[in-house]
Amino acid sequence: MIVYILKRLAIAIPTLLVLIIASFLLMHTAPGGPFTSERAVPPEVLANLNAKYGLDQPLWKQIATYLWNVVAHFDFGPSFSYKDRSVNDIIAQGFPVTLTYGFLSFIAAVLVGVTLGVTAAIKRNSWLDYLAVGISIGAQVLPNFVMAPILVLVFTLSLHWLPGGGWSFDDPRFWIMPVIALSTSYMASIARITRSSMLETLSSNHIRTARAKGLPKRKIIMRHALKPALLPVISYLGPAFVSMITGSVIVDVYFTTGGIGKSFVDSALNRDYAVMMGITILLGTLTILFNLVVDIVYGWIDPKIRY
Amino acid sequence: MKSIAAISAFALMLGSAAPVLAQSSKVPEGTKLAADQTFTYWMQDDLKTLDPDLSTSKDGNDVLQQMFEGLYQQDDHGNLVPALATSYEVSDDKKTYTFHLRNEKWSNGDPVTAQDFVYAWRRLADPATASQYSWYIELMQVKNAHDVIAGDKKPSELGVKALDDHTLQVTLDSAIPYFRQMLVLSSTFPVPQKVVEEYGSDWTKPENMVVNGPYKLKSWKIGNSIELTKNDAYYDAANVTLTDLKFIPMQDNDQALTRYEAGELDFVQTPAGQYPRLKKEYPDAAHAPPRSCVYAYRFNVGPNGPEALKDVKVRKALSYAINRDIIVDKILKGGQKPAYTWTHWATANFKSPDVAYADMTQQERMDKAKELLKEAGYGPDHPLNLRIMYNTSADHKKIAIAVQQFWKQLGVKSTLENYEWKVYLDKLNGQHDFDVARTAWCADYNEASTYLDVNTSWSDQNSGQWKNADYDKLMKDSKTAADPQEDYTKAEKILAEDMPLAPIYAYSLPMLLNPQIKGYPFDNVQLNWYAKNMYKVAK
């Protein structure tokens, strides 16, 4: 297992490198530049800007300098659009917000989704199954850009219980709507995957044997069915976790949380190469890391899969 | 004096805001103030910087003019009023201005000196700063600005110097009558040299930032909020009533409207088309004051433009056929006014000249348009095909569809081309790759030349590459004229005759402002507002 982990880590480095270079090249092929503005910038001003941000250098040199700064100094450079903020500043400010509501959304999605899925499978074709499936379908057809305004209309405008936007680490009232908006569709997917996987597991031979041996139902489900049934859920959770903790643009924009998702989209629109690269590297690293974690958890759950 | 202070302290202890009222000369006597003096302001875009030398946006200016004081400000009607400059002298050739500065302190207790202006202006022009707005100091005609920006002269050669701590002298390359009007923009504000040099780009972080205005920075969270709080070191702090300002960025107007209705915002721009409804629902809160910006369709008469648009008859026909009333009354519905001339009608000391087509009925304009197009040789046998380019926005799209229909009545077939913002700008200003493009201009300063200069052959904004020697000469002459209005009138008439662009409407700012907030300058066409002049009354 350790060898496997080391191997995977060794592959991760060139993967990241390819990601960085490909992203860098793609960004520079996009029309419009970071300093393209409504007030056309005179050529001498544009030359000053390009010189300051190193855009007057050949592309290979820009990539090499960038990589050196990232690897040797962990410096992602200055933001091209936020003139007095570095990329490190922007990530340091936005990522904790995203991480907080993303992590809470993940917990909520897993707890509710797995509970709904398991309940629906155990009580197949009962009203509980229909209810769980109904909730899942309902949650799936309500994407977060629909969910967010509905939540604000209900909890802010009608009930006056929660603030309509903003963010505070100290006040959980600010967390509730972002978490609901972000977790709902994931929760629905988890519930559906859990239900079908659980149904499949419950009809397998080892469960039949356990039943024949007269084991109590609770024990069969918790000890023998749940673990293998969760395998497909876990493979879904890896990327889901990454996309939740790396933020949702809709949630950031609608609730003005100040999270990193909005910064990512803004950086693309502003052609802020530095912020775009910084967040791409962050997302890339997290994706690789959590896929690795998923593989390890797989091995822990099902020894047959160990490497 | 002592007794006033004692009464104030006593009343504050009781939780009343009345003493603030008693001390502020800006609050009418007898006004009952709200206990909470917070003003929460909606911004469409997130702020990109708090550094006056790097700021480029209107929202940035809105925030910075609360934190810094430059030489001049504007009053509620947009007239120039002294801020740090208490008086000035100008040389006979109008090229040398000497400003005398008020005794003021930075929020760290250091005196604000003329050297702080010198430092800030040199820093603005310095290529090492790479300010995207360094062109503004060139526009101000400050001596050697062009060469300093281009790196051909040192920043120390810029035409600005401190004669002593409280005397600033500015030398211009050529006289411009509106020079002092330009000193309202945040790009001309002083910056604290010592602090900037100590912290570098981190000087605008809340823990480091030093200001000389009525409010100082409390927090800045990207994508979330900017919070300012009253600066007690400000020289006129006793007359500042609002204690806290919050700026919330939100791109979606509908969402901002919801937050306004929830009581979380005091100001919001109303979503397009909703102003009439909101005016009925919130008669005390809904306003639509004029805003100094003009929307137009620019024709590409340059080498990349279609041959047809090089014919003035075609340009005129296309402009005449646009029913501006329908766009304003049926699409925008927010207090905008139809525009037949380029300069915003409410610009200071400017009177829109009479242009013939403005006085016609729309039917007459349409008849004339058909006639002109026929004269130009276009008709069923030789149809005119054009592309209309606009950037992504529901309003631009609606207007483009309407224009497409107006032109269809002329027999002109037009296709709509929608581009993402940066791509659109690249095509418009960089490649000049368009036939007709939507454009808009907002005043940098409250004077007509801010609009008219855009159409000179040397302007970087002249994306349609129109050239007219008479127009250029008029705009050059206006810079030294005792009264430039005559030149401006002639220039507008040339625009109406040669039609390099079709003005469509003059902006307003349809908004909801919490009726408790008083002192907002609705008559200031640049919408320059100063929170130090505002206050919040009790419900």
Side-chain angles (χ1 to χ4, degrees), chain A residues 39-40 93 164 254 256 271, chain B residues 222 224 255 264 420 444 461:
Chain A
R39 305 273 158 132
Q93 194 172 81
Y254 202 83
T256 52
R271 310 288 192 272
Chain B
I222 289 171
N224 175 265
Q255 175 201 357
E264 293 176 26
E420 182 262 354
D444 284 321
Q461 298 299 141

